[in-house]
């Protein structure tokens, strides 16, 4: 098993609160991994540490064997690490075309070109179109993102992460606010990513988690409470007490 | 690629942003026509062109990258002094002076850009303001070089391209400034439509997402700040060259503040806002001040207040209607 | 139309120096009102413009007045840089330029078309320095605002004072400076015999208040300055703190002459609530120079008008004055005054006259 | 049984855009209503119109017999409505405690009671609103609405982002409040089945109109309607 | 040296009184009101008129300045400010600059362009010696008054329910309304209070900073420096910022007068770069 992403003794505290507490975590290459845990357990904080939004208090993050603890956020994206946000982070005044084109152009290294016209760049156009088509955003591609309904915005949020063609994808509650009927479709898209792409999913919808994940880590109060395959985790009494309650799985 | 394919539509959408709109062509034709139609107003037209270029510079950072500045006069003034000193001590050639003004201001922009990378809008406002104020004090105390409070005198400009001598009617001055404005404007237009320009808008809209999309915030901001500084330097150089004088007020606070008003009046984020704002602001000020040289500020103030309170919608609605009509004309005429 | 003579009057009508503009504009209008609006058979038309305090705008306005309005002369100019920015234009267009306020020495040298009817800073500063030295004062500190006129006052006064055997220390304060306490503290530490102050008109009162508040008035330090410190425009509002301040200037509203009585009366009548100051008299005399010049040239402008104004001499409200034919600068008496209460109002009472002072910097050359 | 809330022929929207068309609904004291529909059909807009933060274009709203059609949002809140907005909208520069006390009105709900319902919040009492995790914000939004001691609770996707164990607890508590304390509630939920098990009545919106209104049990028992209106395949 | 310290503190206090009204509107209401100086100027003119025309003693003119400016603030808030809260900061800047322009020209028209003066009562003028420190009476008066004011405001806005409701209304007015917070009333009161403080500051400042129609523009930069350096989330921030800047400015000018003008600007830039969210930024990681 080769490793996509790994943390060593990772810690983060805010004042007196320890949000990430000595976490050693491994995301295998091609994994379909879920991270669950009670509210405030530190899941979002963990993702923020992995992507460089927050600096760890101590510990180390490695991406494909390279230490990236001190690497800037954008450079991590350049190395194939992309994410979605729990609360949508969009370019409100742009259209979906522009937003996807932006992500694509940065991935293709075009961002430093001051004089090139966007529409003259065939590769950029083709890849942007591909993402828009895949997420069925083509019918609204020229509307301002800020005026779109929430569900569409959520799709753009996820499409933007896909457009970065990551090798490691971190999804923070992607299904929040998405109706039951469309959640499966969304997760099917995630599951349909190439085999070598590693995915870490944070979700409170246990139906989705157990359907999707082949491995689950449970975080409580900033530290890893349990880790294993779905059945193991579902049966773990500590996990049931802390998180799942009487949820009928396993 | 078929007409209806998504790819074709994406391309068309991306092209739409950089297509020359008939109203734009009209705008520039009018600017040239003004030379012939308003021979008595060439001096103020020249000032408008310079202010317009200065406002385009602010738009690059404010409208596109979301960096507010209350000290943009620092670069304007630096460019003006650089061009003035160059003309006085090195060469009277306007274009060389322009390049020197831009280069100097650009360099200053590069050096001060680390200051604007962090902090809220308010912090940026005050830091930029502080830089401009310090520069103003510096220019005041370096009297041996800048002429201090008396201003830099004895600038003699050569002729543009060795052909056109600056005249007292402001003919050459206006055409020269307009030409420089046009060239730099087209360049700016090109830049904001490039992948680089798109990444600036991303930073303005949502820096968190921008960095999560792989945009190196710092470097992009440094780049655009330097570029905008060079543009402001160009505007300053034009002022120094066409008035053949530089005084401390090129660095003054009110110059930055007026500039901000100009851009807000015209609207930030589409480059023409600065130009339209410059026309509106200067003309308004000139007309009102000629009626009431003592109390023109009151009327300008009233205008600003009413403009924000609801006039903007009216005016923009009007402009849109006109532009729409022009667009329709433009579309019809080629056929 | 050729039967009108237009004069462009460019002044600071807004901003921190607005009161300068008001005084001059009021005086110029008073002159026209008194002497009639026709000269040499032509109607005089005054076009008033606000310079907005900016050099490039001033220059543009002057240029427009010359090119579009075809003015015969431009006048006004409240601040040195604005006058300097415009001077080359006067040369280029051969348009006489009457400086009614700006006081830095070099202005007249920048163009042969400049004529000045206000004052030259060293003209006041130098004789004052000599006079102070003559009173037996040995140690003076100067505090001036850090801009052109301030530097001029500092250097002209100090040079003359040192030549008279005095010792002087110079302090400069920023132009925008609400609190003078640190500078005053330095003064208090140094304990000079006198403190010379030059700050923009209006700020002077602030300065005096802080001077008194610190008790420096009682510590034996004499407060002196050029007339800007006790500007007639606001002197009366300053209250008792101004009493006894000694200044040198070319004009006081209480100057004892029939010309001045008439002038002050006319001015107050036309502008209730205002008292004319040295700015006003500069504007009034500027108009006089133009009127008399135009009479000689029969309404002709250009070089002829400048030539006509050169060497002109007359009795102004401030006393006898003339225009130096060589430098086109003003020659006038400088008076030493002291603030006193007269009929319930504060005035600069003149008590000594230094007659016919030329600009010493140019005289040296 | 007295009607607590009645909405008659309500039309509303944002700015120029109309989102709701002729909505009718009524709710008695001590009853709960599930508000269902796909993304963007106007569920949130309906709830926001009841509290009064949208632009009304027609219709009438009464609360406990009192016409509140023309009342301002703050008057409606005083009349007894508690609101949990979809985006939570925690006051970010207030601490958790201040978020609760700023809106508090006297009644059975106190900060202690909210903290005992959400112990997690008690631990975060002194944190600022923007330092909370997503789920903690959701808890705070609910607690904040309860601090108004309302007669009617408007809950816009209250379970979103909460851990399963908390969701269970919350829904149980809600049921108890409605049964035992006579509170009324309107709940928007993406998980239709789960909420239908709990509420008394249900309405379904489609493109801003009510397309179905009946007892919750009735809808739950009708797979074809679930499929048609909500796209839910049979379980 | 201690005298210099005292002067610096007093100078800082003046800056603070003038700026604290602004930190109320800008910091607490998140409204960029550059017309703050216009309210201060208004308060100043009220004082001048009250003392010169009505013959009110200085001590009575101060509350008059506060009340009249507050009333003016209340009226203007109703008429023109209210729609501004929802607009962008840039619009607010433009709007309030417009008001400043109108105020400058209006004051000029009504009161003339020259300086105005007030005569302090005897017990406030002059100075006395205290353990070798020269203490200006008026400065001491300002220090005491403003210190008390700062303390009361800090307490009022951060420790009371009024304060938390106000901050809630600023954070999200729509939701605050929906949760029963009377947003309009809170804003109106706060705005009036901020304007009143400005008026009071203007009245207190005449003696030291003068009063003429350009007052509102001339000192705008100083107010902004204080509020920005202090940060917008507390009252104590601007308070200490004003002290720091006051002392540094006065001491700097005393010790190295050649650098006089640079000190305050340079200090501001340095402080803002090291503490971009203000001296006492609340709750940022
Ligand atoms: N900036 C901050 N300052 C102080 N505490 C913080 C900050 N950010 C997060 N926290 C705290 O850290 C803890 C972990 O938060 P985090 O957002 O990682 O939780 P989470 O596991 O994602 O929860 P949820 O499922 O509710 O989204 C929370 O208790 C939160 O209050
Ligand atoms: N502030 C707004 N301005 C304009 N249109 C809006 C606004 N908010 C929502 N809309 C539009 O109103 C319609 C209804 O939105 P609403 O939020 O009420 O839907 P919803 O049923 O709550 O959806 P969701 O399940 O996504 O929360 C949508 O088409 C949306 O785009
Ligand atoms: Mg989270
Ligand atoms: Mg909704």
């Amino acid at each position: 098993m080769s490793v996509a992403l790994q943390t060593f003794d990772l810690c983060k505290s805010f004042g007196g609160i320890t949000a990430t507490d000595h976490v050693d975590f491994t995301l295998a290459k091609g994994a379909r991994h879920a991270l669950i845990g009670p509210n405030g357990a530190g899941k979002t904080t963990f993702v923020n540490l992995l992507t460089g939004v927050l600096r760890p208090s101590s510990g180390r993050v490695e991406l494909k064997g390279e230490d990236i603890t001190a690497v800037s956020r954008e450079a991590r994206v350049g190395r194939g690490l992309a994410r979605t946000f729990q609360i949508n982070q969009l370019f409100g005044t742009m259209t979906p075309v522009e937003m996807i084109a932006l992500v694509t152009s940065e991935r293709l290294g075009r961002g430093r070109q001051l004089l090139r016209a966007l529409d003259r760049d065939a590769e950029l156009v083709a890849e942007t179109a591909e993402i828009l088509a895949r997420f069925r955003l083509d019918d609204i591609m020229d509307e301002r993102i800020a005026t779109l309904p929430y569900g569409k915005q959520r799709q753009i949020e996820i499409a933007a992460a896909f457009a970065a063609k990551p090798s490691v994808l971190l999804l923070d509650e992607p299904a929040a606010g998405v109706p039951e009927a469309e959640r499966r479709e969304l997760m099917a898209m995630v599951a349909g990513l190439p085999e070598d792409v590693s995915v870490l999913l944070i979700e409170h919808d246990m139906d989705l988690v157990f359907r999707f994940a082949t491995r689950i880590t449970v975080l409580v109060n900033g530290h890893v409470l349990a880790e294993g395959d779905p059945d193991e985790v579902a049966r773990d009494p500590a996990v049931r007490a802390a998180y799942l309650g009487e949820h009928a799985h396993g | 690629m078929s007409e209806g394919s998504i790819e074709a539509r994406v391309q068309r959408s991306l092209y739409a942003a950089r297509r020359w709109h008939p109203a734009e062509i009209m705008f520039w034709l009018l600017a040239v026509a003004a030379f012939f139609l308003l021979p008595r107003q060439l001096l103020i037209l020249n000032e408008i062109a310079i202010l317009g270029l200065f406002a385009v510079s602010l738009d690059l950072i404010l409208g596109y990258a979301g960096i507010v500045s209350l000290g943009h006069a620092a670069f304007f003034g630096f460019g003006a002094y650089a061009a003035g000193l160059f003309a006085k001590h090195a060469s009277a050639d306007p274009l060389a002076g322009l390049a020197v003004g831009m280069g100097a201001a650009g360099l200053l922009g590069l050096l001060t850009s680390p200051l604007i990378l962090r902090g809220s809008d308010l912090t940026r406002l005050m830091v930029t303001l502080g830089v401009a104020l310090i520069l103003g004090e510096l220019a005041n105390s370096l009297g041996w070089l800048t002429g201090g409070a008396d201003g830099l005198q004895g600038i003699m400009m050569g002729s543009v391209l060795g052909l056109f001598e600056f005249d007292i009617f402001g003919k050459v001055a206006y055409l020269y400034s307009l030409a420089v404005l046009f060239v730099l404007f087209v360049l700016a237009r090109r830049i904001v439509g490039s992948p680089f320009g798109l990444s600036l808008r991303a930073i303005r809209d949502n820096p968190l997402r921008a960095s999560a999309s792989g945009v190196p915030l710092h470097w992009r901001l440094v780049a655009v700040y330097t570029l905008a500084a060079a543009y402001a330097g160009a505007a300053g150089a034009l002022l120094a060259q066409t008035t053949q004088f530089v005084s401390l007020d090129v660095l003054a606070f009110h110059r930055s503040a007026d500039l901000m008003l100009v851009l807000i009046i015209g609207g930030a984020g589409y480059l023409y806002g600065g130009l339209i704002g410059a026309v509106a602001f200067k003309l308004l000020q000139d007309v009102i001040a000629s009626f009431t040289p003592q109390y023109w500020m009151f009327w300008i103030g009233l205008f600003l207040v009413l403009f924000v309170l609801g006039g903007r919608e009216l005016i923009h609605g009007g402009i849109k209607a006109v532009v729409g009509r022009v667009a329709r004309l433009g579309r019809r005429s080629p056929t | 139309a050729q039967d009108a003579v237009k004069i462009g009057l460019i002044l600071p009508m807004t901003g921190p120096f607005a009161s300068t503009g008001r005084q001059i504009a009021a005086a110029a209008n008073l002159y026209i009102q008194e002497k009639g609006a026709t000269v040499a058979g032509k109607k005089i038309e005054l076009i008033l413009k606000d310079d907005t305090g900016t050099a490039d705008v001033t220059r543009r306005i002057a240029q427009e007045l010359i090119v579009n309005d075809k003015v015969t002369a431009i006048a006004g100019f409240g601040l040195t840089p604005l006058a300097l920015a415009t001077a080359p234009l006067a040369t280029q267009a051969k348009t006489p330029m009457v400086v009614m306020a700006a006081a830095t020495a070099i202005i007249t040298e920048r163009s042969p078309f400049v004529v000045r009817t206000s004052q030259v800073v060293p003209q006041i500063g130098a004789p004052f320095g000599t006079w102070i030295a003559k009173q037996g004062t040995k140690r003076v500190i100067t505090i001036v605002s850090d801009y052109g006129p301030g530097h001029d006052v500092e250097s002209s006064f100090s040079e003359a004072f040192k030549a008279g055997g005095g010792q002087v220390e110079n302090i400069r304060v920023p132009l925008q400076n609400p609190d003078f306490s640190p500078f005053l503290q330095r003064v208090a530490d140094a304990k000079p015999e006198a403190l010379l102050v030059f700050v923009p008109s209006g700020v002077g009162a602030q300065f005096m208040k802080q001077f008194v508040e610190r008790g420096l008035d009682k510590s034996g330090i004499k407060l002196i300055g050029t007339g800007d410190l006790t500007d007639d425009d606001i002197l009366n509002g300053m209250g008792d703190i101004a009493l006894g301040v000694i200044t040198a200037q070319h004009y006081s509203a209480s100057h004892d002459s029939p010309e001045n009585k008439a002038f002050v009366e006319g001015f107050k009548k036309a502008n209730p609530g205002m008292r004319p100051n040295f700015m006003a008299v500069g504007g009034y005399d500027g108009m006089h120079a133009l009127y008399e010049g135009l009479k000689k040239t029969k309404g002709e402008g250009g070089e002829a008008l400048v030539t006509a104004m050169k060497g002109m001499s007359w009795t102004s409200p401030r006393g006898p004055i003339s225009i130096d034919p060589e430098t086109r600068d003003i020659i006038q008496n400088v008076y030493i005054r002291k603030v006193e209460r007269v009929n319930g109002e504060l005035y600069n009472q003149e008590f000594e006259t230094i007659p016919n002072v030329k600009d010493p910097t140019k005289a040296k050359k | 049984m007295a009607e607590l809330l009645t909405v008659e022929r309500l039309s509303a929207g944002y700015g120029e855009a109309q989102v709701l068309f002729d909505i009718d609904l009524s709710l008695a004291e001590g009853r709960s209503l599930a508000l269902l529909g796909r993304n963007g059909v106007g569920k949130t807009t309906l709830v926001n119109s009841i509290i009064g933060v949208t632009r009304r274009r027609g219709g009438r709203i009464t609360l406990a017999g009192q016409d509140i059609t023309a009342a301002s949002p703050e008057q409606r809140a005083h009349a007894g409505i508690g609101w949990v907005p979809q985006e939570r909208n925690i006051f970010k520069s207030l601490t958790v405690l201040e978020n609760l006390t700023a809106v508090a009105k006297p009644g059975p709900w106190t900060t202690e009671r909210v903290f005992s319902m959400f112990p997690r919040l008690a631990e975060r009492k002194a944190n600022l609103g923007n330092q909370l995790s997503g789920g903690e914000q959701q808890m705070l939004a609910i607690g904040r609405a309860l601090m108004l001691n309302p007669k009617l609770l408007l809950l816009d996707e209250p379970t979103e982002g909460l851990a399963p164990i908390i969701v269970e607890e919350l829904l149980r508590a809600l049921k108890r409040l409605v049964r035992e304390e006579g509170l009324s509630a309107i709940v928007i939920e993406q998980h239709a089945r789960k909420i239908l098990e709990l509420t008394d009545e249900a309405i379904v919106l489609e493109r801003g109109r009510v397309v179905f209104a009946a007892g919750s049990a009735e809808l739950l028992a009708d797979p074809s309607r679930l499929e048609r209106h909500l796209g839910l395949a049979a379980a | 040296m201690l005298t210099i310290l005292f002067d610096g503190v007093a100078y800082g206090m003046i800056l603070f009184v003038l700026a604290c009204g602004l930190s109320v509107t800008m910091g607490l209401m998140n409204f960029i009101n550059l017309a703050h100086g216009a309210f201060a100027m208004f308060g100043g003119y009220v004082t001048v008129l009250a003392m010169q025309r009505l013959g009110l003693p200085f001590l009575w003119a101060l509350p008059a300045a506060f009340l009249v400016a507050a009333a003016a603030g209340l009226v203007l808030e109703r008429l023109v400010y209210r729609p501004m809260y929802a607009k962008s900061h840039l619009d607010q800047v433009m709007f309030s600059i417009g008001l400043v322009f109108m105020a400058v020209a209006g004051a000029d028209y009504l009161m003339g362009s020259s300086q105005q003066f007030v005569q302090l009562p005897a017990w406030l003028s002059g100075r006395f010696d205290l353990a070798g420190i020269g203490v200006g009476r008026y400065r001491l008066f300002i220090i005491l008054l403003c210190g008390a004011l700062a303390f009361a405001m800090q307490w009022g806005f951060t420790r009371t329910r009024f304060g938390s409701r106000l901050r809630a209304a600023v954070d999200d007015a729509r939701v605050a309304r929906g949760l029963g917070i009377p947003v309009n009333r809170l804003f109106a009161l706060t705005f009036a209070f901020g304007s009143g403080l400005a008026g009071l500051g203007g009245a207190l400042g005449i003696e030291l900073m003068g009063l003429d129609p350009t007052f509102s523009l001339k000192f705008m930069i100083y107010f902004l420096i204080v509020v920005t350096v202090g940060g917008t989330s507390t009252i104590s921030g601007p308070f200490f910022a004003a002290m720091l800047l006051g002392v540094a400015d006065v001491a700097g000018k005393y010790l190295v007068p050649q650098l006089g003008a640079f000190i305050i600007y340079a200090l501001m830039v340095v402080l803002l770069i090291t503490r971009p969210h203000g001296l006492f930024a609340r709750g940022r990681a």
Side-chain angles (χ1 to χ4, degrees), chain A residues 27-109:
Chain A
L27 184 68
K29 188 166 181 199
R32 298 292 182 262
H33 200 133
L35 180 65
I36 61 175
N39 296 118
K43 304 179 292 298
T44 300
T45 305
F46 185 63
V47 169
N48 285 340
L49 291 173
L50 295 180
T51 52
V53 174
L54 295 174
R55 295 244 164 265
S57 312
S58 66
R60 199 147 54 85
V61 182
E62 281 186 6
L63 183 67
K64 293 173 231 165
E66 284 173 59
D67 189 338
I68 57 163
T69 320
V71 168
S72 71
R73 299 175 205 180
E74 58 269 12
R76 296 186 201 207
V77 182
R79 296 186 191 195
L81 181 66
R83 70 174 292 185
T84 66
F85 290 88
Q86 184 169 2
I87 294 159
N88 285 345
Q89 302 289 340
L90 301 167
F91 302 131
T93 69
M94 290 191 186
T95 62
V97 178
E98 288 171 327
M99 177 151 178
I100 301 301
L102 178 267
V103 181
T104 311
S105 102
E106 291 300 331
R107 175 168 52 78
L108 297 173

Side-chain angles (χ1 to χ4, degrees), chain E residues 11-21 146 150 153 235 238-239 242-243:
Chain E
Y11 178 45
M13 285 289 185
I14 299 162
L15 287 181
F16 174 72
V17 213
L18 279 165
C20 72
C146 302
M153 274 167 50
I235 298 293
F239 180 78
M243 291 299 106

Side-chain angles (χ1 to χ4, degrees), chain A residues 147 149-151, chain D residues 14 19 38-45 86 157 190:
Chain A
T147 63
Y150 183 80
Chain D
Y14 304 93
V19 177
R38 299 184 192 225
N39 261 148
V41 295
K43 304 183 293 294
T44 298
T45 309
Q86 176 166 16
E157 307 200 10
Q190 299 291 1

Side-chain angles (χ1 to χ4, degrees), chain A residues 40 43-45 86 172-173 202 204, chain D residues 133-135:
Chain A
K43 304 179 292 298
T44 300
T45 305
Q86 184 169 2
D172 195 354
E173 302 199 25
I202 297 174
H204 289 300
Chain D
S133 83

Side-chain angles (χ1 to χ4, degrees), chain D residues 51 53 73-74 77-78 83 89 91-94 98 101-102 104 128 131 144 148, chain E residues 158 161 164-165 167-168 171-172 174-183 282-283:
Chain D
I51 193 68
V53 295
E74 56 253 46
H78 282 288
W83 175 41
N89 305 76
F91 301 126
K92 59 183 190 304
S93 59
L94 271 59
E98 284 173 332
T101 53
L128 290 183
Q131 299 172 332
R144 187 178 60 179
L148 282 140
Chain E
T158 56
R161 184 147 178 262
S164 61
R165 284 161 81 90
R167 279 180 285 134
D171 279 351
D172 193 332
R174 191 180 66 109
V175 171
R177 283 201 180 91
L179 291 166
I181 294 177
V183 174
R282 235 160 74 113

Side-chain angles (χ1 to χ4, degrees), chain C residues 25-315:
Chain C
N29 283 321
L30 175 67
Y31 190 90
I32 294 179
Q33 195 191 318
E34 282 176 357
K35 303 286 147 79
T38 12
V39 170
K42 300 190 177 180
K43 206 170 148 24
I44 295 273
E45 201 181 306
L46 208 54
I47 307 176
L48 177 64
K49 296 275 183 184
D50 179 20
D51 64 22
T52 71
T54 346
D56 48 306
V57 173
T58 309
R59 188 188 151 103
R60 192 248 301 158
I61 290 172
Q63 212 164 339
E64 282 177 351
L65 285 169
I66 292 169
V67 173
N68 294 341
D69 297 306
K70 312 245 171 345
V71 294
T72 306
I74 46 178
F77 305 100
L79 300 171
T80 301
L82 312 190
L84 290 176
T86 316
L89 201 67
T91 316
Q92 198 181 354
K94 300 199 186 339
T95 305
M97 168 171 163
V98 179
V99 175
M100 294 171 163
T104 310
I106 48 170
I107 295 175
T108 47
E109 293 166 22
R110 293 295 147 166
S111 164
F113 286 84
V114 173
V115 173
R116 173 152 42 196
T117 61
S118 51
Q119 96 220 53
V120 194
V121 172
Q123 189 178 41
I124 315 282
F128 193 40
T130 314
W131 187 84
I132 291 283
K134 240 190 258 158
Q135 308 308 304
T137 312
K138 287 278 164 278
R139 277 181 57 241
V140 171
I141 291 186
T142 66
I143 289 190
V144 302
S145 275
D146 196 2
Y147 75 132
H151 301 168
D152 274 6
V153 171
E154 181 186 282
S155 60
S156 62
F157 175 89
S158 304
E159 244 171 67
F161 182 64
K162 274 190 263 181
Q167 235 186 321
V168 63
E169 184 189 337
N170 299 322
I171 298 178
R172 291 181 180 181
V173 301
L175 197 48
Q176 288 279 342
N177 188 66
D179 189 18
F180 291 101
S181 54
F183 304 109
L184 286 171
Q185 190 58 40
R186 281 184 80 91
V187 174
D189 296 348
K191 293 208 174 44
E193 289 163 71
L195 172 63
L196 175 111
V197 181
F198 179 89
V199 287
S201 166
V203 182
Q206 252 24 77
F207 186 91
M208 273 192 263
K209 284 197 169 175
Q210 298 188 11
F211 182 82
V212 173
E213 190 211 335
R214 284 194 164 249
L216 292 184
D217 55 333
K218 298 194 186 68
S219 66
I221 302 174
K222 258 186 288 174
L223 191 60
I224 59 175
T226 58
D228 307 75
L229 186 61
T230 53
D231 186 345
D232 270 310
D233 193 17
I234 52 173
L235 177 60
N236 196 37
M238 294 183 190
D240 291 346
I241 49 163
L243 280 177
V245 174
I246 291 179
T247 55
Q249 189 74 329
H250 53 281
Y251 176 70
S252 161
S254 71
H255 178 70
D256 191 13
S257 75
E259 288 86 1
N260 188 42
K261 288 236 166 61
F263 171 64
V264 173
E265 211 165 279
F267 190 95
K268 282 186 173 169
K269 207 161 91 198
N271 308 280
M274 264 166 90
R275 185 202 278 185
N277 67 0
F278 59 95
M279 293 294 179
V281 84
Y284 193 79
D285 288 336
M287 287 311 291
H288 182 84
L290 281 168
Y291 260 58
E292 294 305 314
L294 285 167
K295 272 184 201 159
K296 279 196 218 164
T297 63
K298 313 247 176 328
E300 190 72 23
E303 277 188 58
L305 182 54
V306 178
T307 315
M309 289 191 281
K310 277 186 197 170
M312 197 181 269
S313 69
W314 70 98
T315 307

